[in-house]
Amino acid sequence: MFYQWSVIITTLLLFLSCASESPKQTSHKGLIIQKITEPIILNGGVDEAAWNKASWYPMDQYWIGAPTSKEDFSGRFKVLWSNDRLYVLAETTDDIIRDMHEDGLERYWDDDCLEIFIDENASGGDHQYNHNAFAYHIAHNLRVTDMGLDSLPAYFDHHLQSAKVTDNNITTWEIAIEVHTDDYSFGQKPRKLQAGEKIGFMIAYCDNDNSKEREHFIGSTKVEGEDKNRGWIDAGIFDKWTLVE
Ligand SMILES: [Ca+2]
Ligand SMILES: [Ca+2]
Ligand SMILES: [Ca+2]
Ligand SMILES: [Ca+2]
């Protein structure tokens, strides 16, 4: 009798443990992007109700530099989508805002900047000198830079509309981004978005206060391995987000 009960209990426990584990194996970390319910006014202010629908996510993964104080850098972000754009709200705290390269195409990653990574079809793979994915560096003057097909940096201002407000050390960035396919060439129109699709996405901040090269590079995604500065080359490390209504 005791043996029968122990078999039943063991079977039940095994069933419960499998049932609780199976969703973890099939989900993509549960990262979802909600659709906007009303227009977003790009002004660096968050007074529109649409943003209430989205959750805050942290920018807390140190890809370059050792963990630092909240005053030196801290950041969080929200994402929404419409049929035509992704919308990003980022709030960054940085004690010294610095833009030392006047030419926005020169070592732009060593100036303070926000960086938004998009792999429109969540394909992963190399995107260093192709448009399999984009790594938009948004400077504090709101100019946008990424690598072109010719392996040279180029301005991509026309893919984004941005506004920001800096109050003391806190900057609020409000950005609308067109989504382009991997066969993108200059002048090509963006594609439409639809519910249910998956997009590769992550966001980071390059923080440089006093140095020749950036002191910290802090992103939203946990990157395994020694070299964590791989986002500008490898779209395989981007998180996969699902667009929902
Ligand atoms: Ca706004
Ligand atoms: Ca700083
Ligand atoms: Ca891709
Ligand atoms: Ca800084």
Side-chain angles (χ1 to χ4, degrees), residues 97-114:
I97 292 173
R98 186 162 178 239
D99 191 351
M100 60 184 166
H101 298 96
E102 217 166 282
D103 180 349
L105 301 181
E106 187 193 341
R107 297 194 67 84
Y108 45 91
W109 56 89
D110 284 327
D111 289 326
D112 285 328
C113 64
L114 193 69

Side-chain angles (χ1 to χ4, degrees), residues 4 19 21 27 50 59-60 69 89 92 109 111 123 127 136 139-140 160 169 195 199 216 226 241:
Q4 277 179 333
E21 274 176 22
S27 78
M59 297 161 67
D60 59 0
S69 68
L89 178 70
T92 56
W109 56 89
D111 289 326
S123 62
H127 75 97
Y136 298 115
H140 271 273
L160 283 71
N169 296 334
I199 294 221
H216 292 96
E226 194 73 17
W241 298 67

Side-chain angles (χ1 to χ4, degrees), residues 117-134:
F117 302 80
I118 295 178
D119 173 11
E120 55 95 19
N121 55 359
S123 62
D126 171 81
H127 75 97
Q128 188 170 16
Y129 302 127
N130 60 65
H131 296 318
N132 175 30
F134 292 86

Side-chain angles (χ1 to χ4, degrees), residues 21-47:
E21 274 176 22
S22 58
K24 277 187 211 157
Q25 290 164 353
T26 53
S27 78
H28 263 301
K29 301 180 190 172
L31 297 172
I32 57 163
I33 304 178
Q34 301 268 1
K35 192 172 188 182
I36 60 167
T37 46
E38 58 171 321
I40 289 192
I41 318 284
L42 296 171
N43 57 1
V46 288
D47 35 11

Side-chain angles (χ1 to χ4, degrees), residues 176-189:
I177 311 169
E178 296 177 349
V179 175
H180 288 278
T181 51
D182 53 11
D183 63 350
Y184 174 76
S185 58
F186 264 81
Q188 191 168 304
K189 288 203 167 118

Side-chain angles (χ1 to χ4, degrees), residues 60-73:
D60 59 0
Q61 300 296 313
Y62 284 81
W63 296 342
I64 291 176
T68 186
S69 68
K70 283 198 164 22
E71 294 72 36
D72 189 358
F73 177 78

Side-chain angles (χ1 to χ4, degrees), residues 72 94-96 207 209:
D72 189 358
D94 182 2
D95 49 352
I96 300 173
D207 183 22
D209 299 338

Side-chain angles (χ1 to χ4, degrees), residues 66-218:
T68 186
S69 68
K70 283 198 164 22
E71 294 72 36
D72 189 358
F73 177 78
S74 54
R76 58 181 188 163
F77 68 99
K78 292 181 172 193
V79 197
L80 290 167
W81 69 282
S82 71
N83 291 333
D84 301 309
R85 303 261 191 296
L86 283 177
Y87 292 89
V88 176
L89 178 70
E91 188 186 271
T92 56
T93 299
D94 182 2
D95 49 352
I96 300 173
I97 292 173
R98 186 162 178 239
D99 191 351
M100 60 184 166
H101 298 96
E102 217 166 282
D103 180 349
L105 301 181
E106 187 193 341
R107 297 194 67 84
Y108 45 91
W109 56 89
D110 284 327
D111 289 326
D112 285 328
C113 64
L114 193 69
E115 189 168 343
I116 292 176
F117 302 80
I118 295 178
D119 173 11
E120 55 95 19
N121 55 359
S123 62
D126 171 81
H127 75 97
Q128 188 170 16
Y129 302 127
N130 60 65
H131 296 318
N132 175 30
F134 292 86
Y136 298 115
H137 298 71
I138 306 157
H140 271 273
N141 65 5
L142 298 181
R143 292 228 69 178
V144 181
T145 310
D146 188 19
M147 286 288 178
L149 298 175
D150 55 3
S151 311
L152 296 171
Y155 287 120
F156 284 82
D157 300 281
H158 52 298
H159 286 201
L160 283 71
Q161 293 89 48
S162 312
K164 75 176 179 84
V165 170
T166 300
D167 184 10
N168 289 316
N169 296 334
I170 300 175
T171 300
T172 304
W173 313 70
E174 201 173 19
I175 301 166
I177 311 169
E178 296 177 349
V179 175
H180 288 278
T181 51
D182 53 11
D183 63 350
Y184 174 76
S185 58
F186 264 81
Q188 191 168 304
K189 288 203 167 118
R191 76 164 174 86
K192 298 281 183 188
L193 297 170
Q194 58 182 14
E197 65 171 304
K198 282 191 171 18
I199 294 221
F201 176 90
M202 58 182 194
I203 183 168
Y205 188 80
C206 300
D207 183 22
N208 194 351
D209 299 338
N210 300 297
S211 307
K212 189 161 176 271
E213 297 180 349
R214 64 186 155 180
E215 294 155 6
H216 292 96
F217 189 22
I218 313 100

